[in-house]
Amino acid sequence: MGQETGLNVPRNGTERIGFVLVPQFSMISLVSAVEPMRIANRLKGELLYSWHLYSVDGQPVESSNGMAMMVEKPIAEVDFVPTVMVCASFEPERYETKALLSWLRRLNRKGAEIGGLCTGAVILARAGLLNGRRATTHWESLPGFVERFDDIEASTDLFEIDGRFLTCSGGTASLDLMLHRIGQRHGKALSVAVSESMLHERIRSHGDHQRMALGLRLGIHHPKLIAIIEAMEQNLEEPLSVDELADLGSISRRQLERLFRSHFGETPSGFYLKLRLHHARLLLQQTGMTVLQVALACGFFSAPYFSRAYRKLFDRSPREDRSLLRGTS
């Protein structure tokens, strides 16, 4: 895989990159990482890159969109690859195996560069490879990642490179990560040419955030309201009072109430409550935390109150919703 006929091998050798596909992996993350390498090869007329797909057992792997991908071989037959990327998506811990974790640790001891696409960072963390390092994962998985791995400096950036370890938030951020690598090794001109070939109008840096700016996300332009909601998002475990929020925005409580009713049709406290409950839902889906632990992590000091509020918003109790979200009975 990864070779195109008629291409010459460059003097500094072809860069080999392996991708380990975990069941339900993100297809867009994989393709966004592979296509820049293919286009770089074509534009240079040289085999700058080759890519190789592996799975734990050597069998085809079904992605989250239902499409299956063929692989070259099982990881047990891969003694070493200079760079390896674990490509995952939904519930990565469900599909990790002792064999995969051991294989990653062995590659690490041999000095390989190791990365994770989308939620692949979770598997790297489970292998103990990211302790004391800065890493990122898809924004939906970040709350659970932060709760589970407190020895890792979690980032909201598109991708992170910390020594030999690369983590990427997935989706089209994989494209930006690979364009960054192409630019580092083969020059900015080539990375720009690849980007233009893919109709990607701007190469985003690792410091770009994953999510849209809050104002665009919510369709609001009021700077004080945006600042107040940002404060809410940053204070979910220990919620701020309405008066504290008003002080942060340098407005009166009455003005604050009026702003929220005008833009969202509800009170500041009601809006804040929904933010906390949606955060709780992510934790229930992504972690093994108990319902009480989730409640406390989202600023609820009464489990019964948390359950009542949760049921009112989602029409299910936290336990029922967790079972449904995870596809269990």
Side-chain angles (χ1 to χ4, degrees):
M1 290 186 183
Q3 296 189 9
E4 299 185 34
T5 56
L7 297 180
N8 299 316
V9 177
R11 292 179 181 178
N12 58 355
T14 300
E15 185 175 346
R16 291 193 303 128
I17 299 181
F19 294 88
V20 179
L21 306 184
V22 175
Q24 297 302 298
F25 72 93
S26 167
M27 181 69 79
I28 190 173
S29 297
L30 174 67
V31 173
S32 294
V34 169
E35 281 298 284
M37 295 187 287
R38 179 190 68 79
I39 294 171
N41 287 350
R42 179 176 63 82
L43 293 178
K44 286 290 287 185
E46 299 179 44
L47 196 62
L48 303 178
Y49 298 97
S50 67
W51 48 94
H52 311 271
L53 307 184
Y54 313 126
S55 66
V56 171
D57 58 7
Q59 296 301 307
V61 186
E62 185 175 292
S63 68
S64 59
N65 66 12
M67 297 173 66
M69 182 68 72
M70 300 290 291
V71 300
E72 292 182 25
K73 60 181 69 174
I75 57 173
E77 295 180 12
V78 182
D79 182 61
F80 182 74
V81 61
T83 301
V84 64
M85 302 276 194
V86 178
C87 191
S89 182
F90 296 111
E91 298 185 83
E93 289 179 337
R94 181 177 178 181
Y95 303 107
E96 74 179 37
T97 65
K98 290 183 178 178
L100 176 56
L101 299 184
S102 297
W103 183 75
L104 290 171
R105 294 182 189 116
R106 186 163 62 252
L107 284 184
N108 178 47
R109 290 194 294 271
K110 293 182 176 183
E113 184 178 44
I114 302 177
L117 303 182
C118 197
T119 60
V122 174
I123 293 178
L124 269 59
R126 294 278 291 175
L129 302 180
L130 298 178
N131 290 345
R133 297 188 178 277
R134 185 173 172 87
T136 192
T137 185
H138 191 281
W139 67 265
E140 289 182 316
S141 299
L142 272 172
F145 190 81
V146 170
E147 291 290 339
R148 283 178 290 178
F149 306 112
D150 54 10
D151 289 335
I152 299 171
E153 184 183 353
S155 161
T156 60
D157 292 348
L158 285 181
F159 59 89
E160 291 289 347
I161 301 174
D162 191 336
R164 290 186 291 108
F165 299 91
L166 308 92
T167 49
C168 175
S169 54
T172 57
S174 298
L175 167 58
D176 295 288
L177 171 62
M178 297 311 298
L179 290 172
H180 174 79
R181 291 173 61 88
I182 291 169
Q184 277 193 323
R185 184 163 183 184
H186 301 289
K188 183 177 179 180
L190 181 59
S191 67
V192 168
V194 172
S195 181
E196 289 199 315
S197 178
M198 299 185 74
L199 306 184
H200 189 57
E201 64 176 9
R202 182 175 75 88
I203 302 176
R204 296 173 294 179
S205 72
H206 73 91
D208 281 331
H209 293 301
Q210 299 179 30
R211 303 189 71 183
M212 291 181 181
L214 182 61
L216 290 174
R217 214 188 321 147
L218 297 178
I220 57 176
H221 307 285
H222 197 292
K224 291 186 177 181
L225 184 57
I226 291 172
I228 289 167
I229 296 173
E230 286 176 342
M232 288 179 172
E233 290 187 338
Q234 293 164 10
N235 292 274
L236 298 175
E237 187 170 355
E238 297 183 5
L240 302 171
S241 69
V242 174
D243 287 332
E244 287 173 322
L245 292 169
D247 288 342
L248 281 172
S250 300
I251 58 177
S252 69
R253 179 174 180 139
R254 180 174 295 181
Q255 287 175 304
L256 179 64
E257 299 274 356
R258 192 160 49 239
L259 275 174
F260 271 85
R261 288 197 181 280
S262 172
H263 286 84
F264 305 112
E266 60 183 320
T267 64
S269 56
F271 184 92
Y272 206 171
L273 177 63
K274 287 181 179 178
L275 281 182
R276 291 157 57 206
L277 288 170
H278 279 286
H279 184 69
R281 200 179 203 201
L282 288 176
L283 293 180
L284 287 168
Q285 183 178 11
Q286 300 164 10
T287 75
M289 297 167 68
T290 66
V291 171
L292 178 58
Q293 288 171 331
V294 169
L296 293 173
C298 298
F300 296 92
F301 297 103
S302 164
Y305 171 64
F306 168 63
S307 294
R308 286 195 301 271
Y310 195 97
R311 183 183 288 276
K312 184 176 181 180
L313 182 60
F314 299 117
D315 293 323
R316 286 182 291 272
S317 72
R319 286 186 175 83
E320 291 168 343
D321 207 25
R322 167 175 270 173
S323 296
L324 185 65
L325 289 167
R326 290 187 171 185
T328 59
S329 59

